[in-house]
Amino acid sequence: MKPTKETVITARNRTNVRLRTTLALLADHQESGTAVAPGELMSQAVAEVPFDDKEAELLAGGVPRGYKALTTATSKLVKAGWLLKSRNGWAATEEGVRAVRAFTDPDQFVNAMISGAPVPDQPVEAPAHAPLAPEQLGEEAQAIPAEDPTPPDVTPTLEVTSETDAASDETSDEMSFGTTDGPSEASSDETTDVAASADAWHDQPQSVALSGDFDPLFGEAGHWSTDLRELQLSYDAGDNSWKQTLQMPAGTYQFKILVNNSWDENYGRYGVRDGANHELQLLLDTAVTVRFDFATKDITTS
């Protein structure tokens, strides 16, 4: 008899813990009637489950490895139907709230999210996790399905390989809820999507700009300017984000995002308002594209 496919739970992974914590905090905010921005929500999750040394390493653009992993992993919550993302913020679905209550163990929570297993009405008993040495608790510890198609020399992970793939996943995930019975519904969805893109500008600020120590590019005028034309971002209705590409010499740069050419509303690291400066380190002269999503306050570079 062919053995049935089972879900294998490996060592507890901090991204799994942080992902469940994010949805649990969102559910708590909804229950208490308090609004929370996505960036602030993830910062709260990081505060409850701090980064280890590996996760605290900064990637290009000054984003910690663990924060990038968490941001990417939230698209899987959308795909599972446990989280809704919109221009107005994030919302835990009824099924998502039930999943948080039922799966108190983060690895079981992620296994159910990936496999699409039904959410039980009663909490599931959490398995015992054997204590592991610190060096065993790295990124390699993941909750993954048995018979995973990933090649044996590639570590299974919740991360996607590029920002383009992540954006594609989230865009399709946000439109995937409910059932589609025929072409008429698909056509309706496409019409709704086009209308949403056309109306997206109404929720955007008048302008978005970079401000930082861009002296190597523009001289004194590029030093923490609020109105330099070359540092203004352009709005792209296609992906509902602001972006600008700069040809930058090798070096280390710090910057923030300014809304409406004013320091009254500015966003730093983690998309936190009035937060610490972003830091960008370039080993070679290269073109860098900065993207800013006003709805989520996510800031990325590529």
Side-chain angles (χ1 to χ4, degrees):
M1 178 182 296
K2 184 179 179 180
T4 58
K5 185 176 180 179
E6 296 181 353
T7 300
V8 178
I9 299 179
T10 59
R12 189 185 298 279
N13 174 264
R14 296 177 70 85
T15 299
N16 293 356
V17 180
R18 211 169 283 122
L19 187 63
R20 183 191 176 278
T21 300
T22 298
L23 193 62
L25 288 171
L26 181 57
D28 290 342
H29 279 290
Q30 289 178 191
E31 185 176 359
S32 63
T34 57
V36 59
E40 176 62 24
L41 177 68
M42 289 191 290
S43 294
Q44 291 176 10
V46 171
E48 290 204 13
V49 189
F51 296 141
D52 59 22
D53 291 342
K54 181 69 173 179
E55 293 173 317
E57 292 178 358
L58 298 182
L59 301 174
V63 179
R65 183 184 303 275
Y67 192 84
K68 175 65 176 176
L70 177 60
T71 302
T72 302
T74 60
S75 67
K76 305 303 179 183
L77 292 174
V78 175
K79 189 172 183 179
W82 294 356
L83 175 68
L84 289 173
K85 293 183 178 181
S86 71
R87 295 190 299 275
N88 297 323
W90 294 2
T93 65
E94 182 178 346
E95 189 77 354
V97 174
R98 289 180 58 237
V100 166
R101 307 295 184 239
F103 300 111
T104 58
D105 178 77
D107 294 334
Q108 287 183 331
F109 174 86
V110 169
N111 276 344
M113 177 190 71
I114 294 174
S115 67
V119 177
D121 295 328
Q122 300 298 324
V124 177
E125 182 178 357
H129 288 268
L132 299 175
E135 60 270 17
Q136 293 176 281
L137 293 174
E139 293 182 6
E140 294 79 6
Q142 287 287 347
I144 60 171
E147 303 178 15
D148 189 271
T150 308
D153 58 335
V154 178
T155 303
T157 175
L158 283 176
E159 296 184 42
V160 293
T161 56
S162 71
E163 293 179 3
T164 301
D165 291 341
S168 176
D169 282 349
E170 293 190 14
T171 300
S172 60
D173 290 341
E174 291 172 15
M175 300 300 297
S176 65
F177 299 102
T179 59
T180 300
D181 296 327
S184 61
E185 288 192 19
S187 176
S188 175
D189 287 344
E190 293 174 3
T191 302
T192 301
D193 191 35
V194 171
S197 297
D199 293 337
W201 174 257
H202 297 301
D203 298 318
Q204 299 296 320
Q206 293 181 353
S207 66
V208 172
L210 291 168
S211 183
D213 51 1
F214 295 108
D215 310 50
L217 285 77
F218 308 109
E220 186 177 348
H223 187 74
W224 296 100
S225 167
T226 60
D227 57 1
L228 189 65
R229 180 176 60 82
E230 289 81 0
L231 294 177
Q232 302 298 308
L233 277 64
S234 299
Y235 179 67
D236 186 339
D239 60 10
N240 198 32
S241 67
W242 297 75
K243 61 185 66 175
Q244 176 62 293
T245 299
L246 300 171
Q247 188 65 42
M248 302 180 67
T252 300
Y253 302 83
Q254 293 191 0
F255 69 91
K256 282 190 171 185
I257 293 290
L258 301 187
V259 173
N260 295 330
N261 292 348
S262 170
W263 284 103
D264 291 341
E265 184 174 358
N266 70 86
Y267 297 94
R269 189 177 297 178
Y270 307 144
V272 175
R273 186 164 181 170
D274 298 320
N277 297 338
H278 284 274
E279 185 170 339
L280 178 63
Q281 297 178 340
L282 300 177
L283 299 180
L284 300 171
D285 296 357
T286 186
V288 176
T289 298
V290 179
R291 294 179 176 84
F292 175 64
D293 187 325
F294 183 71
T296 64
K297 307 304 184 287
D298 287 339
I299 303 170
T300 58
T301 58
S302 62

